[in-house]
Amino acid sequence: MKKQFAKKIALLMAITLCLGTASCGKKEEPKTENPEKNVQNVESTDQAATPETPALQTAFLQANNAPTITAGTAILVEQSTGTILFDKNAKDKMYPASMTKMVTALVVMDYFKAEELITVGTEINEVSLDSSKAGHVNGETLTVKNLIRGLIIPSGNDSANVLATAVAKKVKNNQSLSFAECQDIFAGLMNDKAKALGAVNTHFTNAHGYHDENHYSCAYDMALFGRAYLANSTLAEIANEKSFSGNGADNMFAQNKEKKTQDYSWKSHNLLITSNEYNYSYASGIKTGFTNEAGDCVSAAAMKDGVTLIAIIFNSPDPARWLDAKSLFEYGFNGYEKVELGKAAAVVEAVPLVKHKRLEGDTLDVVFHQDVVAYLPTGEASKVTKTMEYEQEYLAESKDNVVKLKAPIKKDAKVGTASFQIGGKTVLTEPVFAGREVSKGTIWSSIHYFFKNFTSVVFSVKGLIGLGVIVAVGALIFLGARFIGGRRRRSARGYSFRQPISRRGNRRGKRRF
């Protein structure tokens, strides 16, 4: 009998515990801050190829009063985000002339450090007589940085040949290569670089940009190259130099008469940064260009209030190229504003969770992995609204129209997309990621949670109600068990064939008279 009673008590405790972990004190699921957000399901396709983000993206809203320019093709781009603020036939095939040298410098910096030394060879004789030159002589030694200065400031085609030859021989580990071989190798490296940067209509045949029918590019691609160029601090410094005067080897061989060096005095051809009537006070580079076939060109940069703009101008006869660049810069700086829509690692919103370990928290903070910045027409920032869309694989079924995500979720997993709109038109989208790992819940994690939070859970309103229900159910089960057990004992006594035992004395079946 004692064993039966113990079994009933154990059964009662197990039932009570299970009911308690399942329902007792279950907290009300938190709701999202803005329940009227237009949340949609996004199919997750692990097998589908995700298209790469374009290297440059057109501004989702265009500012009014775009300038009229002389250039045959042109583009205006914000440097940090690659936002296109103005576009005039930007992907049309054009001849880049000496603007080519931006890519030459980029390739050189992939293989040499600025302070390394290069000795000039006969490659300086492989330039046309009408080419612009820096004035190098055979056998002299210069630093890479000063050779790039000769490439950019006076636009030296001889500097381009020296750099191209040095890179090609280093890449092939062959000092016996002819100049023709070096030029082909270096042009291949330039084309590879252009492709890696996202170019869509570019092909190079030489390092300096002297006219060749198969040497071409477009304003869109030149803007890509300008962005990459400015991202290198050494190159950005050189692009903004109005002039250079000094020794080609920085006087490191002043006491060594066996090393040939020479002094230079170069002045920039970029009238936007030099002192003249076309100077633009915010200008910071980059490279000019001219051939009869290309016309007057410029890859220009300007920085104001922390914003850098790049203007590419093709075939705009002087002085129009300077005026076109200034007009585009004024349009970009005054017609647009930089709007910060989100910060890297900042919480975008806290989303309720289901099927998770509750001790880890009942919501998941979703975050951006990078600062979210948009360039919008001035005055439009206050009109921006945001909606969230979550990946189907993480969405839980919901009957109350509250978006909930289900465990498990790995930290930094892409869980959805934030969309920013103005007047119903999407101006920017940005993926959001899990700010932490969300573990899948188990019966043991539920039991752990229940006992760890027993006091706060039980003495909540829902907890008291749930506890009352549990006690009532437990009592009913206990009474039911007692009732069934009693009936079984009575039934067993009713069908017994044993003789009754006398309660008086030890003798059986005798009566006293």
Side-chain angles (χ1 to χ4, degrees), residues 92-114:
D92 285 3
K93 175 182 174 181
M94 302 294 287
Y95 298 117
S98 284
M99 292 192 296
T100 296
K101 291 165 181 167
M102 291 191 298
V103 181
T104 302
L106 285 170
V107 173
V108 170
M109 293 302 287
D110 284 341
Y111 295 94
F112 282 96
K113 295 180 180 178

Side-chain angles (χ1 to χ4, degrees), residues 165 167-182 185:
T165 299
V167 170
K169 289 181 176 180
K170 184 174 185 178
V171 168
K172 295 300 182 180
N173 193 26
N174 184 352
Q175 296 300 311
S176 301
L177 292 174
S178 68
F179 173 71
E181 291 172 322
C182 290
I185 292 166

Side-chain angles (χ1 to χ4, degrees), residues 198-470:
V200 297
N201 193 14
T202 290
H203 184 264
F204 296 119
T205 61
N206 59 61
H208 39 65
Y210 196 83
H211 183 67
D212 183 309
E213 288 294 327
N214 290 319
H215 188 101
Y216 56 85
S217 189
C218 62
Y220 178 95
D221 291 354
M222 280 290 151
L224 293 175
F225 308 150
R227 287 185 72 201
Y229 185 99
L230 293 178
N232 184 296
S233 58
T234 298
L235 299 183
E237 174 194 343
I238 293 171
N240 199 26
E241 291 179 340
K242 300 175 179 63
S243 62
F244 171 78
S245 295
N247 182 263
D250 291 337
N251 292 315
M252 65 177 66
F253 301 115
Q255 306 302 320
N256 186 347
K257 302 301 182 182
E258 295 182 0
K259 284 287 185 181
K260 183 187 295 186
T261 66
Q262 65 172 323
D263 295 337
Y264 290 97
S265 181
W266 295 318
K267 184 178 180 180
S268 175
H269 297 171
N270 187 349
L271 299 189
L272 293 172
I273 65 174
T274 58
S275 298
N276 65 89
E277 61 181 308
Y278 301 111
N279 173 268
Y280 185 64
S281 59
Y282 302 112
S284 56
I286 307 173
K287 188 70 193 77
T288 59
F290 171 79
T291 63
N292 290 330
E293 295 82 3
D296 293 311
C297 309
V298 63
S299 295
M303 184 170 67
K304 179 181 179 182
D305 298 331
V307 174
T308 298
L309 301 180
I310 298 170
I312 308 297
I313 307 294
F314 272 100
N315 193 17
S316 185
D318 279 342
R321 62 173 159 176
W322 317 117
L323 300 176
D324 283 350
K326 291 169 72 172
S327 295
L328 288 178
F329 286 142
E330 287 298 294
Y331 170 69
F333 286 132
N334 298 325
Y336 291 88
E337 61 180 328
K338 182 179 180 179
V339 180
E340 189 176 87
L341 300 174
K343 295 285 291 181
V347 177
V348 181
E349 66 178 15
V351 189
L353 294 167
V354 297
K355 300 181 179 180
H356 60 293
K357 286 185 179 180
R358 298 193 64 193
L359 283 174
E360 296 176 355
D362 288 331
T363 60
L364 172 67
D365 291 342
V366 296
V367 299
F368 294 122
H369 272 181
Q370 62 183 4
D371 292 345
V372 183
V373 176
Y375 279 82
L376 301 174
T378 303
E380 295 292 317
S382 61
K383 302 176 184 178
V384 177
T385 59
K386 181 184 70 180
T387 60
M388 301 293 296
E389 300 176 355
Y390 288 99
E391 301 290 339
Q392 182 65 38
E393 67 175 300
Y394 297 117
L395 275 176
E397 293 185 7
S398 177
K399 297 179 180 179
D400 53 7
N401 294 323
V402 175
V403 174
K404 299 172 186 176
L405 303 182
K406 59 186 177 184
I409 303 173
K410 292 183 178 179
K411 187 179 187 299
D412 294 327
K414 179 179 178 286
V415 294
T417 302
S419 297
F420 299 89
Q421 294 96 17
I422 294 179
K425 180 179 180 180
T426 299
V427 298
L428 184 67
T429 59
E430 186 71 23
V432 294
F433 302 87
R436 65 175 177 88
E437 183 172 356
V438 180
S439 304
K440 190 174 181 63
T442 64
I443 183 64
W444 302 114
S445 65
S446 298
I447 292 171
H448 188 192
Y449 174 82
F450 173 74
F451 282 108
K452 192 173 182 67
N453 297 274
F454 183 80
T455 303
S456 60
V457 169
V458 168
F459 291 103
S460 65
V461 174
K462 275 195 165 185
L464 291 172
I465 294 172
L467 187 60
V469 171
I470 290 168

